Amino acid sequence: MTHNTPLSPRPLGHLHDTHHRVLTTAQLRAHGVTAAELSARTRPGGPWRQLLPHVHLLHPGPPTSEERLRGALLYAAREPAPGVPVQPTARHAHRPPYPGAMLTGLAALTLYGFRAAPPLTSLEHVDVLVPRQRRLRSTGYVRIVRGADVPAPRTVTGLPVAPVPRALADAVAGLREAEPVRRLLTEAVRGGHCEPAAVVEELTRAKLLGRPHVAGAVDALVAEGRSIAEGRLYRMVREYGLPDPLWNVDLRLPGGPPLGAVDAYWPNEAVAVELDMRHGDGEDAVWSRYADRRERLERLGITVVHLTPAKLRESTAQQAAVVRTALMAAGDREPAAYVVALPR
């Protein structure tokens, strides 16, 4: 058997199906296409064309946006080991169609529905994330992005896509102006795609916070994230029938030093809620400040409930139950020290 011998000859009629209009050389070989036939079909004026190295478009016209994305993934995906079927069968249905590759950057954000991301038809490059050890070069319209810690992909419109924070970081890496960066980061938070902390973590890992236009956008992102989290906290109190607290107050002992700021405080029950807005560098130091403040307040008999933006978004009812339980338990505790609550 030579390398031109098809592994399992099959008729080609089914290849006109939409999902099979972009195939690799190995996949075509598995369908019975010899090297000579492939060469004849992809010559100028032929019915097929080469889209990328070892990736072929099974019609002569330009590729659609979906075909460009699938072609990019096929180019970057790991080739199956010898003897492993390249087309999924019932036995191999669990195998991902594009192992070791996922869309990232602006193309991924467009698939997620970001209005601030350009349409797929206007993208000059499609970014594909692969593990750092892969020996693979950018080519044509495909731009290879390597990562030491590659996240598990999400599936969007049937394609593997990097999680939003990672896709954002890869998109921001290629942007040089502040306004597009600001729009993308703001939409990520305002649209509920992810929390600011996750975005800042990825930007930090990619060493992008040293760029002034990125740092400025992150400041706006954090402010936006706090505003949204506060809005969720207000709605939680109202919608779940919790008593009205004092909002955004500084606590202090009468005539004494400040004890710290809290986002909500129920003076009769001595219960405080604090939004945990840690992000980026210095997280340990920020947590240390949270812990010190919580310890000071709890020594005075004040119960402190920490809520994260993610928990407020994903499990509002559960967080409301946590606060309600703390309020109801107030009667079983020793009376708290009297503190003064001043508006922030």
Side-chain angles (χ1 to χ4, degrees):
M1 177 181 293
T2 70
H3 70 280
N4 288 332
T5 304
L7 296 180
S8 53
R10 301 172 187 173
L12 303 182
H14 66 288
L15 296 185
H16 295 291
D17 178 270
T18 301
H19 295 293
H20 292 120
R21 288 161 67 88
V22 183
L23 290 177
T24 65
T25 301
Q27 289 171 328
L28 287 169
R29 181 172 168 237
H31 282 287
V33 180
T34 65
E37 185 175 8
L38 177 59
S39 177
R41 286 175 175 263
T42 54
R43 68 177 48 155
W48 296 351
R49 55 173 288 200
Q50 181 171 304
L51 184 62
L52 294 161
H54 309 294
V55 178
H56 308 280
L57 187 63
L58 304 193
H59 62 79
T64 65
S65 296
E66 180 184 0
E67 288 167 348
R68 289 181 88 229
L69 297 181
R70 291 185 182 276
L73 288 166
L74 285 172
Y75 167 73
R78 288 194 303 266
E79 287 290 341
V84 175
V86 293
Q87 290 296 328
T89 63
R91 179 180 176 185
H92 299 277
H94 64 281
R95 181 179 296 115
Y98 310 102
M102 68 187 78
L103 298 169
T104 189
L106 291 173
L109 297 179
T110 300
L111 290 179
Y112 278 117
F114 273 63
R115 294 187 301 274
L120 294 174
T121 53
S122 68
L123 288 178
E124 181 179 356
H125 295 100
V126 172
D127 293 330
V128 182
L129 178 60
V130 301
R132 177 168 292 170
Q133 62 270 25
R134 292 285 307 283
R135 299 183 65 180
L136 192 65
R137 293 182 178 181
S138 299
T139 186
Y141 65 87
V142 178
R143 187 161 52 193
I144 297 299
V145 179
R146 290 179 175 79
D149 299 314
V150 175
R154 309 288 188 266
T155 300
V156 182
T157 67
L159 300 175
V161 180
V164 169
R166 179 57 193 262
L168 273 171
D170 290 333
V172 166
L175 298 175
R176 297 294 178 264
E177 297 182 4
E179 185 58 24
V181 174
R182 186 195 63 78
R183 288 201 304 267
L184 288 173
L185 299 189
T186 299
E187 185 174 353
V189 174
R190 189 176 294 172
H193 294 283
C194 57
E195 300 299 334
V199 177
V200 177
E201 181 180 352
E202 286 291 350
L203 294 175
T204 301
R205 184 180 292 120
K207 297 181 171 57
L208 294 172
L209 293 183
R211 302 180 183 181
H213 68 287
V214 177
V218 166
D219 290 341
L221 170 75
V222 172
E224 177 82 10
R226 169 164 279 283
S227 176
I228 291 173
E230 288 176 346
R232 291 174 183 154
L233 181 58
Y234 297 152
R235 288 194 299 274
M236 183 192 77
V237 168
R238 182 178 67 251
E239 293 174 3
Y240 288 89
L242 298 174
D244 288 332
L246 302 176
W247 295 106
N248 296 315
V249 292
D250 285 309
L251 302 180
R252 65 173 60 227
L253 289 169
L259 299 170
V262 295
D263 294 282
Y265 183 59
W266 287 264
N268 293 335
E269 293 84 2
V271 172
V273 164
E274 189 168 28
L275 292 173
D276 185 347
M277 301 299 297
R278 286 175 290 160
H279 65 275
D281 289 333
E283 184 172 306
D284 290 342
V286 174
W287 173 246
S288 179
R289 291 197 296 272
Y290 275 130
D292 289 345
R293 182 161 61 240
R294 179 173 186 166
E295 184 177 349
R296 286 199 306 271
L297 293 175
E298 292 190 340
R299 279 202 303 265
L300 296 171
I302 297 171
T303 298
V304 181
V305 178
H306 276 275
L307 300 180
T308 67
K311 288 181 178 179
L312 278 173
R313 175 168 60 91
E314 297 166 2
S315 57
T316 310
Q318 182 180 354
Q319 305 315 304
V322 170
V323 175
R324 189 185 305 279
T325 299
L327 295 172
M328 294 174 63
D332 299 327
R333 301 194 307 266
E334 292 292 326
Y338 176 75
V339 298
V340 178
L342 300 175
R344 270 199 276 188

